[in-house]
Amino acid sequence: MRLAESFRSERFGAVRIHELQRVIELDSGMSAAAGSRIVGADALHAVESQMVIVVPCMNETRGVIEGVLSGIPHDCLIVLVSNSDRAPVDRYEIEAQTVEQYCRLAGRPAITVHQRDPGVAGAFKAAGLPELIDDSGLVRSGKGEAMLIGMALAAMSGRRYIGYVDADNYVPGSVHEYCKVYAAGLHLADSPYAMVRISWHSKPKLRDNRLFFSRKGRSSQITNEWLNRFLAEYSGFGTEVIATGNAGEHAMSLDLGLKLRLAGGFAVEPYEYMDLFEQFGGILESTSADVMANSVPVMQIETRNPHFHDNKGEEHVQGMRMQALNVLYHSPVTLPAIRQQILEFMIEQGALGPGQEPPRERIYPPVGTLDLDLLYDALDAEALSFRQPDGLAAAGMPASPPVDRARIPRRIM
Ligand code: GDP
Ligand code: CO
């Protein structure tokens, strides 16, 4: 893969945000050229075989899920975290079967689990995260919560990287590109604490019976603008460096991921930026001297495939925008002038009445604080939805695991 060189970055404490880099060639070969960086097949493969791809999924169609799975490079470990309906039709059962069948055909392993399985709630409670459980005794619904479950499973696998890919993506080729970009970005990032966030090139929409490739997402524009204002208020210089505030497609090293506090619902992606600023921005005291000494590169990469996914409507988009502003408003590192402007903006948008404060989003402690051994034992014993189809075993193949499988320290897979 060939990426445009990143010439500029902005620093906020230890966080180094690289300006958006384009994918120049999906397959670069090995010939170097000025102004670009190549990441060869071996380097990509080395990262992929250490990467877990988490697919959060809620009531997506079987055919679309199958397409998404087919785009994930073979050596990545797939983890599907579902919050799909279990009645009147058990959609999770269909998903789990889809994954199992796929694993058999592709000769690869996967893990699937249902977010609202009582056994999953019990396991997270036992492992030290009772905040995740709602009044009905189950793990809360929400995309952030699904990502957190995925992060914990990824940590148990013993692999080094985690990437997220939505289950509602109609284009398997774009899923493939995202995973390759994760691998390329993580390879190029010169730190054990790295994050790669994707900005897709365009999103196709139907307008007057014609396909129109719109450049920016409705929610991202606003989230990015406010994150950039946040930075500018500190530096005194206007900036457009952040282009990936709402990036659902993103990856990071688990060394970083396990230190991050994830937010619930759709606040999760913008809050990743805020938590980086809170923990490693040098404004508040950091608990991790090692991260501060290393720096946290955030690579932002513009992909080539159109991002063609399920359209969930205007209300959903408005909800996402406001969740991003809620976390910005309440962050202890947001300066008072920006908080005031956010308040005025939200009132103007009709999201708040005069005199009201934005609601607080839920923020969970880092997955690294959990007892993962306990979590695994409890999931294995109690969570009926917890499945680990191993394509090789299911296909009757002898146990000759690829190198990286043999090295996995814990019992997953
Ligand atoms: P958008 O693409 O940002 O507009 O958001 P989507 O509604 O498409 O959600 C992104 C992905 O997360 C999709 O694959 C959804 O199926 C999935 N998703 C959304 N909410 C939840 C949830 O509560 N739990 C799980 N497990 N997945 C979710
Ligand atoms: Co979507």
Side-chain angles (χ1 to χ4, degrees):
M1 171 160 273
R2 185 188 304 273
L3 300 177
E5 186 91 60
S6 153
F7 292 109
R8 287 202 320 195
S9 64
E10 289 206 20
R11 280 199 85 120
F12 190 85
V15 185
R16 186 188 287 276
I17 306 166
H18 290 262
E19 76 176 6
L20 196 62
Q21 296 168 259
R22 278 177 308 131
V23 170
I24 293 179
E25 280 183 310
L26 291 169
D27 184 341
S28 62
M30 290 306 289
S31 56
S36 68
R37 298 282 299 269
I38 53 173
V39 183
D42 289 348
L44 292 174
H45 183 257
V47 178
E48 286 161 11
S49 59
Q50 281 295 322
M51 188 151 61
V52 176
I53 296 292
V54 174
V55 184
C57 177
M58 190 158 97
N59 297 327
E60 309 296 350
T61 45
R62 180 182 184 143
V64 178
I65 298 170
E66 263 174 4
V68 167
L69 298 177
S70 75
I72 300 172
H74 182 89
D75 291 308
C76 300
L77 174 63
I78 295 170
V79 173
L80 182 116
V81 183
S82 173
N83 190 15
S84 300
D85 299 342
R86 306 214 63 178
V89 174
D90 190 349
R91 298 185 67 149
Y92 174 67
E93 202 47 52
I94 299 174
E95 290 161 6
Q97 278 171 21
T98 304
V99 172
E100 215 162 302
Q101 202 173 32
Y102 165 79
C103 286
R104 205 161 39 236
L105 290 172
R108 62 191 289 185
I111 295 167
T112 69
V113 73
H114 196 278
Q115 192 168 345
R116 305 279 288 168
D117 175 341
V120 173
F124 275 92
K125 213 168 167 178
L129 205 70
E131 297 91 333
L132 201 58
I133 318 295
D134 69 10
D135 293 339
S136 61
L138 302 177
V139 171
R140 293 174 201 285
S141 286
K143 192 187 178 212
E145 286 78 0
M147 287 173 49
L148 191 156
I149 295 173
M151 177 90 73
L153 292 171
M156 284 193 253
S157 78
R159 293 189 174 210
R160 289 184 53 200
Y161 305 106
I162 181 169
Y164 293 97
V165 168
D166 287 352
D168 67 338
N169 192 325
Y170 294 125
V171 185
S174 78
V175 172
H176 189 68
E177 184 184 12
Y178 297 153
C179 295
K180 293 286 169 190
V181 163
Y182 297 162
L186 290 167
H187 172 80
L188 292 175
D190 191 19
S191 164
Y193 306 104
M195 185 181 276
V196 177
R197 301 174 74 91
I198 289 193
S199 168
W200 33 261
H201 176 262
S202 64
K203 201 180 247 186
K205 303 223 166 80
L206 265 186
R207 247 190 225 171
D208 303 328
N209 260 344
R210 279 180 65 200
L211 260 190
F212 177 78
F213 290 85
S214 123
R215 282 282 287 153
K216 293 205 172 120
R218 294 165 290 177
S219 179
S220 320
Q221 254 166 327
I222 292 185
T223 306
N224 292 337
E225 184 185 326
W226 283 100
L227 283 168
N228 285 319
R229 283 201 205 187
F230 163 92
L231 290 177
E233 192 65 24
Y234 272 100
S235 67
F237 287 88
T239 178
E240 293 190 348
V241 72
I242 295 184
T244 56
N246 276 326
E249 269 69 26
H250 61 290
M252 62 195 112
S253 61
L254 274 163
D255 282 341
L256 176 62
L258 293 180
K259 291 185 189 305
L260 280 189
R261 293 173 296 195
L262 298 185
F266 286 110
V268 60
E269 282 101 4
Y271 185 68
E272 285 169 347
Y273 268 116
M274 295 317 296
D275 196 39
L276 291 180
F277 300 150
E278 289 174 20
Q279 291 202 58
F280 314 121
I283 307 287
L284 307 176
E285 185 142 2
S286 178
T287 51
S288 183
D290 190 45
V291 181
M292 297 307 285
N294 264 288
S295 98
V296 183
V298 178
M299 323 269 293
Q300 304 183 92
I301 302 178
E302 184 179 285
T303 46
R304 288 283 163 180
N305 279 275
H307 187 74
F308 197 1
H309 71 147
D310 193 25
N311 185 353
K312 304 217 164 75
E314 190 55 47
E315 208 175 296
H316 167 68
V317 172
Q318 178 73 358
M320 273 174 74
R321 267 182 210 154
M322 294 310 146
Q323 290 184 37
L325 294 180
N326 295 344
V327 293
L328 247 158
Y329 178 87
H330 286 291
S331 172
V333 294
T334 300
L335 292 171
I338 296 294
R339 295 179 63 165
Q340 187 55 34
Q341 289 168 28
I342 290 175
L343 209 53
E344 285 161 18
F345 177 77
M346 289 178 82
I347 292 171
E348 191 187 293
Q349 292 280 304
L352 282 183
Q356 281 183 322
E357 272 227 314
R360 276 183 191 274
E361 300 294 335
R362 235 172 258 286
I363 311 287
Y364 297 107
V367 172
T369 61
L370 299 184
D371 182 332
L372 292 176
D373 282 325
L374 241 176
L375 184 70
Y376 182 84
D377 289 341
L379 282 176
D380 200 34
E382 308 285 343
L384 298 178
S385 71
F386 183 54
R387 318 264 167 88
Q388 305 175 60
D390 183 331
L392 297 178
M397 306 269 271
S400 59
V403 183
D404 81 286
R405 264 163 193 265
R407 286 198 357 235
I408 289 174
R410 285 177 214 268
R411 286 151 294 184
I412 249 187
M413 295 176 31

